[in-house]
PDB file of all heavy atoms in Angstrom:
ATOM      1  N   GLY A1529       4.960  20.348 -25.860  1.00 78.00           N
ATOM      2  CA  GLY A1529       4.063  21.471 -26.067  1.00 78.00           C
ATOM      3  C   GLY A1529       2.675  21.101 -26.539  1.00 78.00           C
ATOM      4  O   GLY A1529       1.834  21.996 -26.736  1.00 78.00           O
ATOM      5  N   TYR A1530       2.372  19.823 -26.716  1.00 83.00           N
ATOM      6  CA  TYR A1530       1.031  19.438 -27.160  1.00 83.00           C
ATOM      7  C   TYR A1530       0.757  17.968 -26.855  1.00 83.00           C
ATOM      8  O   TYR A1530       1.680  17.170 -26.661  1.00 83.00           O
ATOM      9  CB  TYR A1530       0.861  19.685 -28.665  1.00 83.00           C
ATOM     10  CG  TYR A1530       1.794  18.868 -29.542  1.00 83.00           C
ATOM     11  CD1 TYR A1530       1.412  17.617 -30.042  1.00 83.00           C
ATOM     12  CD2 TYR A1530       3.066  19.333 -29.879  1.00 83.00           C
ATOM     13  CE1 TYR A1530       2.257  16.865 -30.834  1.00 83.00           C
ATOM     14  CE2 TYR A1530       3.923  18.582 -30.668  1.00 83.00           C
ATOM     15  CZ  TYR A1530       3.520  17.352 -31.145  1.00 83.00           C
ATOM     16  OH  TYR A1530       4.374  16.608 -31.926  1.00 83.00           O
ATOM     17  N   TRP A1531      -0.564  17.653 -26.812  1.00 85.00           N
ATOM     18  CA  TRP A1531      -1.012  16.265 -26.740  1.00 85.00           C
ATOM     19  C   TRP A1531      -1.315  15.807 -28.161  1.00 85.00           C
ATOM     20  O   TRP A1531      -2.054  16.482 -28.881  1.00 85.00           O
ATOM     21  CB  TRP A1531      -2.285  16.138 -25.908  1.00 85.00           C
ATOM     22  CG  TRP A1531      -2.119  16.310 -24.427  1.00 85.00           C
ATOM     23  CD1 TRP A1531      -2.320  17.452 -23.716  1.00 85.00           C
ATOM     24  CD2 TRP A1531      -1.757  15.287 -23.484  1.00 85.00           C
ATOM     25  NE1 TRP A1531      -2.097  17.232 -22.378  1.00 85.00           N
ATOM     26  CE2 TRP A1531      -1.754  15.903 -22.206  1.00 85.00           C
ATOM     27  CE3 TRP A1531      -1.440  13.940 -23.586  1.00 85.00           C
ATOM     28  CZ2 TRP A1531      -1.449  15.204 -21.044  1.00 85.00           C
ATOM     29  CZ3 TRP A1531      -1.132  13.236 -22.429  1.00 85.00           C
ATOM     30  CH2 TRP A1531      -1.128  13.855 -21.179  1.00 85.00           C
ATOM     31  N   LEU A1532      -0.763  14.684 -28.556  1.00 89.00           N
ATOM     32  CA  LEU A1532      -1.042  14.123 -29.869  1.00 89.00           C
ATOM     33  C   LEU A1532      -2.125  13.065 -29.722  1.00 89.00           C
ATOM     34  O   LEU A1532      -1.894  11.990 -29.161  1.00 89.00           O
ATOM     35  CB  LEU A1532       0.221  13.511 -30.487  1.00 89.00           C
ATOM     36  CG  LEU A1532       0.044  12.874 -31.869  1.00 89.00           C
ATOM     37  CD1 LEU A1532      -0.420  13.915 -32.885  1.00 89.00           C
ATOM     38  CD2 LEU A1532       1.334  12.197 -32.328  1.00 89.00           C
ATOM     39  N   LEU A1533      -3.328  13.379 -30.236  1.00 91.00           N
ATOM     40  CA  LEU A1533      -4.465  12.463 -30.157  1.00 91.00           C
ATOM     41  C   LEU A1533      -4.516  11.580 -31.394  1.00 91.00           C
ATOM     42  O   LEU A1533      -4.292  12.071 -32.516  1.00 91.00           O
ATOM     43  CB  LEU A1533      -5.775  13.239 -30.031  1.00 91.00           C
ATOM     44  CG  LEU A1533      -5.861  14.302 -28.924  1.00 91.00           C
ATOM     45  CD1 LEU A1533      -7.249  14.931 -28.908  1.00 91.00           C
ATOM     46  CD2 LEU A1533      -5.523  13.715 -27.563  1.00 91.00           C
ATOM     47  N   ASN A1534      -4.816  10.319 -31.217  1.00 91.00           N
ATOM     48  CA  ASN A1534      -4.926   9.372 -32.322  1.00 91.00           C
ATOM     49  C   ASN A1534      -6.338   8.795 -32.377  1.00 91.00           C
ATOM     50  O   ASN A1534      -6.923   8.471 -31.338  1.00 91.00           O
ATOM     51  CB  ASN A1534      -3.916   8.228 -32.159  1.00 91.00           C
ATOM     52  CG  ASN A1534      -2.483   8.714 -32.228  1.00 91.00           C
ATOM     53  OD1 ASN A1534      -2.046   9.238 -33.244  1.00 91.00           O
ATOM     54  ND2 ASN A1534      -1.755   8.559 -31.123  1.00 91.00           N
ATOM     55  N   ASP A1535      -6.837   8.648 -33.650  1.00 90.00           N
ATOM     56  CA  ASP A1535      -8.180   8.105 -33.883  1.00 90.00           C
ATOM     57  C   ASP A1535      -9.208   8.916 -33.088  1.00 90.00           C
ATOM     58  O   ASP A1535      -9.815   8.433 -32.132  1.00 90.00           O
ATOM     59  CB  ASP A1535      -8.221   6.630 -33.481  1.00 90.00           C
ATOM     60  CG  ASP A1535      -9.501   5.945 -33.966  1.00 90.00           C
ATOM     61  OD1 ASP A1535     -10.208   6.545 -34.795  1.00 90.00           O
ATOM     62  OD2 ASP A1535      -9.770   4.829 -33.498  1.00 90.00           O
ATOM     63  N   VAL A1536      -9.406  10.140 -33.521  1.00 91.00           N
ATOM     64  CA  VAL A1536     -10.176  11.129 -32.763  1.00 91.00           C
ATOM     65  C   VAL A1536     -11.591  11.261 -33.328  1.00 91.00           C
ATOM     66  O   VAL A1536     -11.793  11.300 -34.547  1.00 91.00           O
ATOM     67  CB  VAL A1536      -9.482  12.511 -32.810  1.00 91.00           C
ATOM     68  CG1 VAL A1536     -10.188  13.487 -31.879  1.00 91.00           C
ATOM     69  CG2 VAL A1536      -8.009  12.372 -32.443  1.00 91.00           C
ATOM     70  N   LEU A1537     -12.567  11.371 -32.446  1.00 91.00           N
ATOM     71  CA  LEU A1537     -13.947  11.679 -32.814  1.00 91.00           C
ATOM     72  C   LEU A1537     -14.313  12.999 -32.135  1.00 91.00           C
ATOM     73  O   LEU A1537     -14.356  13.090 -30.907  1.00 91.00           O
ATOM     74  CB  LEU A1537     -14.902  10.577 -32.348  1.00 91.00           C
ATOM     75  CG  LEU A1537     -16.388  10.826 -32.655  1.00 91.00           C
ATOM     76  CD1 LEU A1537     -16.625  10.861 -34.170  1.00 91.00           C
ATOM     77  CD2 LEU A1537     -17.261   9.763 -31.992  1.00 91.00           C
ATOM     78  N   GLU A1538     -14.544  14.039 -32.965  1.00 91.00           N
ATOM     79  CA  GLU A1538     -14.845  15.370 -32.444  1.00 91.00           C
ATOM     80  C   GLU A1538     -16.354  15.618 -32.464  1.00 91.00           C
ATOM     81  O   GLU A1538     -17.024  15.347 -33.459  1.00 91.00           O
ATOM     82  CB  GLU A1538     -14.142  16.445 -33.274  1.00 91.00           C
ATOM     83  CG  GLU A1538     -12.640  16.467 -33.092  1.00 91.00           C
ATOM     84  CD  GLU A1538     -11.998  17.669 -33.778  1.00 91.00           C
ATOM     85  OE1 GLU A1538     -12.726  18.412 -34.476  1.00 91.00           O
ATOM     86  OE2 GLU A1538     -10.782  17.873 -33.604  1.00 91.00           O
ATOM     87  N   ASN A1539     -16.860  16.132 -31.349  1.00 90.00           N
ATOM     88  CA  ASN A1539     -18.270  16.483 -31.226  1.00 90.00           C
ATOM     89  C   ASN A1539     -18.382  17.955 -30.822  1.00 90.00           C
ATOM     90  O   ASN A1539     -17.849  18.342 -29.766  1.00 90.00           O
ATOM     91  CB  ASN A1539     -18.958  15.614 -30.164  1.00 90.00           C
ATOM     92  CG  ASN A1539     -19.139  14.184 -30.608  1.00 90.00           C
ATOM     93  OD1 ASN A1539     -20.109  13.856 -31.284  1.00 90.00           O
ATOM     94  ND2 ASN A1539     -18.187  13.316 -30.246  1.00 90.00           N
ATOM     95  N   ARG A1540     -19.042  18.751 -31.662  1.00 88.00           N
ATOM     96  CA  ARG A1540     -19.324  20.149 -31.347  1.00 88.00           C
ATOM     97  C   ARG A1540     -20.833  20.328 -31.225  1.00 88.00           C
ATOM     98  O   ARG A1540     -21.595  19.666 -31.945  1.00 88.00           O
ATOM     99  CB  ARG A1540     -18.768  21.076 -32.425  1.00 88.00           C
ATOM    100  CG  ARG A1540     -17.250  21.017 -32.574  1.00 88.00           C
ATOM    101  CD  ARG A1540     -16.779  21.914 -33.721  1.00 88.00           C
ATOM    102  NE  ARG A1540     -15.354  21.795 -33.948  1.00 88.00           N
ATOM    103  CZ  ARG A1540     -14.432  22.542 -33.331  1.00 88.00           C
ATOM    104  NH1 ARG A1540     -14.825  23.495 -32.470  1.00 88.00           N
ATOM    105  NH2 ARG A1540     -13.155  22.377 -33.586  1.00 88.00           N
TER     106      ARG A1540
END
Side-chain angles (χ1 to χ4, degrees):
Y1530 63 92
W1531 288 96
L1532 179 61
L1533 308 182
N1534 296 297
D1535 192 13
V1536 187
L1537 178 64
E1538 290 188 354
N1539 289 275
R1540 298 177 184 271

